[in-house]
Amino acid sequence: MFSRYLHCIDQSGLHSYLDAKGGLKPLADFPDSTNGATQFSIWLDGAHPGTHTLLVDLPDEGFQRDSIPFVSGADRQRLLTRKKGQIFAGSPFSTTISLGREKEGRRDERVLFTAITRTSVLDPWLLVLRQHNAPLAALYSVPLLTTPLVNALPAEASHTPHGLIISFSPGGIRQTYFENAALRFSRLSPAPDGDYIDWGEACLNETRKTLQYLTTQRWITRHQRLPVWLLLDPHDSGPILGQLTEAEQLDLHPVNLTTLVHQFESRTSTHSSNSLPLMMHLASRAKRGPQLAPERERHTFWLRQISLSIVGGAIAIASVLIGLTLYNHLSTRTLEQQRELLQTTNNQETQRYQQFLATLPQLPTNLETLRRITAGIDQLGAHRADPGNAFDIISHALDHYPDITVKLLDWQLSNPDQGSTTTILSAVLPLAAAADPGTSLQRIRALAAELNHTDAETSLLNLPFEMSPDKTLRSHSETSSKRPEFTLRLRLTKGSQP
Amino acid sequence: MNGMPALADQIPRQLRFAILASILLLFLCAGLLWNSRLQLTQARTELTALRTATTEIQQRYQKALAETPEIRQTLARFTQLRQDGMIGTENRLDWANALRTISQSRHISKFEFTLGPQGRLEQFDTGGSFRFKTSPMQLNMHILHEGDLLRILSDLRNIPSAMILPRHCKLGELDSDINPGDARLLAECTLDWVTVEAPTDARPTSQP
């Protein structure tokens, strides 16, 4: 989607590479001139969008170690910015490397300030990038990549308190002095004439100058031996080492450059003692190390990073949502399969039920209605009552009282739900009984008692002779002229037998 | 409204596409997720409904299997009642003939009846389109003995096309002078003739 470009700037101009999986692929070279910047601009117009990393291999570098009070956060940043401005006034391409804290005194923080001191070499190229809104990821100088380089050297290099790395490039002979695997000083001397194999004498001269400088700075003593790692192609190693042995103070450690390149899994082919491809590889892989581009030059890059973060976050969330969607989809599929199986079972059960129903006789209505109809008829039949029962009871009772004559029988179904009945009996005694009310009442009550012997409930409603205090008692002459009449009520519940 | 352009202006141009694309992507994925949730919910609902239906059909089958003897028994009873005329439309002509036959066989000198209009018997609810109906009858007759009344009621009970329920019977002496062998009692009865009205569109069904 996006390409990564690495541009190497040296004294001859700018050399563009594409950082691909197969290594750095050369794209174009642009001379250090106005015409070169124009060509770079035209090339950038047609280039695929991507980020740009600059690697500078120039002699115009400054290194200064200083100590600052131990502060942190924004205060430290302000202090370092002010110091950089003081040390490298006029150069925005500066950075700092923390070297740890002093072991004595206030335990100030030791900081190495480094910068590209001749900004005019970079300005045309940066202007083109700025005009194209090309995201500048980082600006490195070769010395800034010393720490990863030292870590890649044989183990004694990273454990030695100090040492020197000598490397060749088209820009010249670079000598990088490091302490505890951290950059301390570097210088690039002009390239001698001839091939790398012929650079031995020049290399010896430049090394002696460096030794003298280091001694002057009191970083090493005059007779102290200094370990030196030479990054050379095996083909060039013999002649150059032969020259350098003349410097007796040096402990020489030749490093096979081809092996070192392969150690970084770089597929960049190296067939000479040119260490620049190795440094370009280190630059392309550097992530969080110090770099020289001011933040304003990286504005587009940061916007692009934020864009990528937003899109990346959205893609991550979208991935989760899609994952949940797929999970739901799979769950739905599983449920649908279960439903299909259950549907088959349901069809079979329905078919079995229908087949069974076909064997049953057809009903005029549903079974519940049939039940209610027959149950209702049964209930009516069970509670059906007629006068026969009451009449039988009365008839049996009157068999013992032949002198009593029935005048009226009034039977009524008093409670249809229970089948209970009420019968009113009106009867008379013989005329002779009128003369003997006591006997008459006794016979009437005896009849009532006779009727009462079963579940029947008998009550006297009317008597020929009223004896109750709340009734009217009439004279004997008034009642003796007609047959004494009485009325009683017989209540029967269902099932009462005579 | 003025706040929206100002907010958009504050977002660097390089970020706008990323934000817009991200929002669209998230909306799209959220829509897909929402749709999948709907489908899952629907699938669950359908499966639950199908499970319930399957269980119901199995229960109905088992219930029908268990009720088969009762079904046959009840249906036989119902069929008999329908054949007797107890279930169906009142056949008043048959009833009148039956009453005449009873009065003649019992040698009742005076036998008068009045059959009132049919009404609904609210006491029973069949839960279906069948209805319990009742028709009130007023019966007046001259009889020799109260046993005649009981025998006539017994005869009425044997009429199969209705459930005849005596409500009220009054038995008293006739006021007029009577000759030997003449009826001497007046019987007045109120009876309910209960039937079950069947719907005219009743169709046979196999479902218990």
Side-chain angles (χ1 to χ4, degrees), chain B residues 77-126:
Chain B
R77 176 90 192 284
F78 181 88
T79 305
Q80 185 61 50
L81 289 168
R82 175 172 264 178
Q83 287 174 355
D84 291 343
M86 174 77 190
I87 297 173
T89 309
E90 277 187 347
N91 196 337
R92 296 194 168 203
L93 187 58
D94 286 351
W95 292 355
N97 290 334
L99 289 169
R100 193 176 307 115
T101 302
I102 290 170
S103 70
Q104 289 173 355
S105 66
R106 297 297 176 190
H107 305 290
I108 307 301
S109 59
K110 183 183 177 185
F111 190 92
E112 294 175 351
F113 66 87
T114 306
L115 187 61
Q118 192 181 39
R120 182 155 179 196
L121 187 62
E122 301 291 348
Q123 185 181 352
F124 298 102
D125 180 15
T126 63

Side-chain angles (χ1 to χ4, degrees), chain A residues 133 300 303 306-307 310-311 314-315 317-318 321-322 324-325 328-329 331-332 335-336 338-339 342-343 345-346 349-350 352-353 356-374 376-381 384-388 391-392 395 405-413 416-417, chain B residues 12-15 18-19 22 25-26 29-30 32-33 36-37 39-40 43-44 46-47 50-51 53-54 57-58 60-61 64-65 67-68 70-72 74-75 77-78 81-82 86-87 123-128 130 132 149-150 153 157 163-173 194 196 203-208:
Chain A
N133 274 329
T300 307
L303 286 178
I306 293 170
S307 294
I310 292 171
V311 174
I315 288 174
I317 296 171
L321 296 179
I322 288 173
L324 291 172
T325 303
N328 286 344
H329 181 69
S331 300
T332 304
L335 292 178
E336 284 176 350
Q338 290 179 7
R339 189 171 64 86
L342 192 60
Q343 185 65 59
T345 306
N346 183 276
E349 292 291 325
T350 304
R352 185 175 67 157
Y353 180 61
F356 177 75
L357 288 183
T359 65
L360 293 177
Q362 289 191 329
L363 302 180
T365 182
N366 60 65
L367 180 59
E368 182 57 28
T369 301
L370 285 183
R371 279 183 184 142
R372 292 192 182 193
I373 290 170
T374 54
I377 291 172
D378 288 344
Q379 188 178 348
L380 284 172
R384 178 163 60 180
D386 62 30
F391 286 5
D392 283 347
S395 177
T405 303
V406 176
K407 304 293 285 184
L408 177 70
L409 282 172
D410 191 351
W411 173 91
Q412 192 163 11
L413 184 65
D417 293 335
Chain B
R13 187 175 53 83
Q14 293 92 329
L15 295 182
I19 293 171
S22 299
L25 179 65
L26 291 178
C29 292
L32 289 173
L33 178 62
S36 70
R37 287 283 300 170
Q39 289 182 345
L40 180 61
R44 279 182 182 146
E46 288 177 357
L47 183 62
L50 191 58
R51 276 187 183 138
T54 305
I57 200 78
Q58 288 170 338
R60 285 164 69 181
Y61 174 75
L65 206 60
E67 288 176 341
T68 300
E70 187 195 357
I71 291 169
R72 293 186 188 281
T74 307
L75 183 63
R77 176 90 192 284
F78 181 88
L81 289 168
R82 175 172 264 178
M86 174 77 190
I87 297 173
Q123 185 181 352
F124 298 102
D125 180 15
T126 63
F130 289 79
F132 274 83
L149 173 62
L150 301 179
L153 291 177
R157 180 182 291 186
M163 171 76 72
I164 300 169
L165 305 174
R167 297 288 178 189
H168 181 216
C169 276
K170 187 175 177 183
L171 191 63
E173 292 180 332
V194 177
V196 178
R203 290 181 181 176
T205 176
S206 295
Q207 188 163 347

